[in-house]
């Protein structure tokens, strides 16, 4: 049975079409989800895509966490549904309490737009099994508030439990603590990262097709669970 991956659209979302395309590239069905609906339309997994939800007013993701659809996402995640938050989606997942820590202004206070190398640190999450441990992948990064921060006990917990999924290689583009680019929940089902794997699914249009592995990983995880 074809996996159905929901892609949320908030006011200000920019990358929902790209995320839906990535789902289709991985042989899944992309299902549009609207921010104002209490309905996940029977999807098997959810992508919270990048952009500027609600104009990033107050704080990135601070309003989006109250959207009706996020109530459903939080409940589904608690039951084990795979959820991927990309860029603004990562910010939303942190604001909603699905992932620890927060994202703050880049350390040099400039918007960063570049192709970024990442190292895969954890290959056991629902979104990373297609990668080899220690593999380096190239995906675009585009954010102004991408610095990952958390208190020291939280950082120690993430490192000790192997919950850092992706780490910046070479240059730390935003001042993230411990060079963290992406993390996972304790059960490995919810993953958030600042770079954009959905923009690296085709070598003709992106810097690589390295990002496609995240979406194929989710399809694999859903097939194993069915």
């Amino acid at each position: 049975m074809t996996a159905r991956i929901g892609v949320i659209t908030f006011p200000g979302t920019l990358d929902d079409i790209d995320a839906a395309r990535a789902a289709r590239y991985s042989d899944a069905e992309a299902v549009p989800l609207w921010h104002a609906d209490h309905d996940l339309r029977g999807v098997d997994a959810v992508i919270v895509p990048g952009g500027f939800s609600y104009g990033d007013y107050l704080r990135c993701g601070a309003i989006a966490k109250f959207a009706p659809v996020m109530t459903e996402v939080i409940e589904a995640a608690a039951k084990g549904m795979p959820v991927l938050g990309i860029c603004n989606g990562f910010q939303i997942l942190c604001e909603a309490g699905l992932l620890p820590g927060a994202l703050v202004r880049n350390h040099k206070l400039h918007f960063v737009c570049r192709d970024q190398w990442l190292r895969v640190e954890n290959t056991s999450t629902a979104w990373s099994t297609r990668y080899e441990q220690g593999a380096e992948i190239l995906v675009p990064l585009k954010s102004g508030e991408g610095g990952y921060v958390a208190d020291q006990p939280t950082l120690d917990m993430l490192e000790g439990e192997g919950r850092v999924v992706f780490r910046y290689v070479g240059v730390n583009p935003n001042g993230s603590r411990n060079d963290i680019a992406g993390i996972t929940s304790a059960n490995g089902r919810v993953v958030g990262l600042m770079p954009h794997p959905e923009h690296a699914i085709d070598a003709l249009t992106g810097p690589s097709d390295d990002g496609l592995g995240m979406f194929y990983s989710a399809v694999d995880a859903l097939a194993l669970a069915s």
Side-chain angles (χ1 to χ4, degrees):
M1 187 171 64
T2 301
R4 302 178 76 245
I5 298 180
V7 180
I8 300 176
T9 299
F10 300 95
T13 294
L14 301 178
D15 298 304
D16 46 348
I17 301 301
D18 302 87
R21 183 184 298 113
R24 292 193 297 271
Y25 265 51
S26 62
D27 301 321
E29 176 186 353
V31 180
L33 302 176
W34 186 238
H35 71 109
D37 294 339
H38 275 286
D39 186 4
L40 293 185
R41 300 182 60 190
V43 300
D44 305 304
V46 169
I47 298 172
V48 189
F52 302 90
S53 59
Y54 302 97
D56 279 350
Y57 287 111
L58 299 182
R59 188 174 61 247
C60 298
I63 297 176
K65 73 174 181 179
F66 294 111
V69 74
M70 285 305 299
T71 299
E72 307 304 319
V73 170
I74 292 168
E75 291 180 0
K79 298 175 183 177
M81 178 179 285
V83 178
L84 178 67
I86 303 170
C87 195
N88 187 228
F90 186 13
Q91 295 162 340
I92 293 169
L93 295 185
C94 289
E95 291 286 341
L98 288 175
L99 292 172
L103 285 305
V104 300
R105 289 289 301 275
N106 296 342
H107 65 311
K108 293 185 179 179
L109 305 183
H110 290 284
F111 189 93
V112 173
C113 184
R114 56 175 292 163
D115 295 332
Q116 177 66 48
W117 285 100
L118 308 176
R119 184 170 59 249
V120 181
E121 303 279 23
N122 182 332
T123 61
S124 63
T125 79
W127 299 91
S128 61
T129 54
R130 283 286 183 118
Y131 298 107
E132 295 183 2
Q133 185 81 27
E136 294 187 2
I137 62 176
L138 183 64
V139 298
L141 173 72
K142 49 171 187 169
S143 56
E145 299 189 35
Y148 180 77
V149 297
D151 61 21
Q152 194 60 49
T154 299
L155 291 172
D156 292 342
M157 176 268 293
L158 291 173
E159 297 287 0
E161 296 180 4
R163 290 173 54 183
V164 176
V165 185
F166 302 104
R167 208 181 301 269
Y168 296 115
V169 174
V171 175
N172 183 327
N174 47 35
S176 290
R177 297 289 305 275
N178 294 18
D179 298 327
I180 290 173
I183 61 173
T184 185
S185 57
N187 64 0
R189 306 295 280 180
V190 179
V191 168
L193 75 163
M194 284 309 297
H196 286 263
E198 80 281 15
H199 295 325
I201 61 171
D202 190 324
L204 288 174
T205 58
S208 71
D209 60 1
D210 293 343
L212 195 55
M214 293 186 211
F215 305 97
Y216 272 121
S217 294
V219 171
D220 291 347
L222 294 170
L224 288 172
S226 64

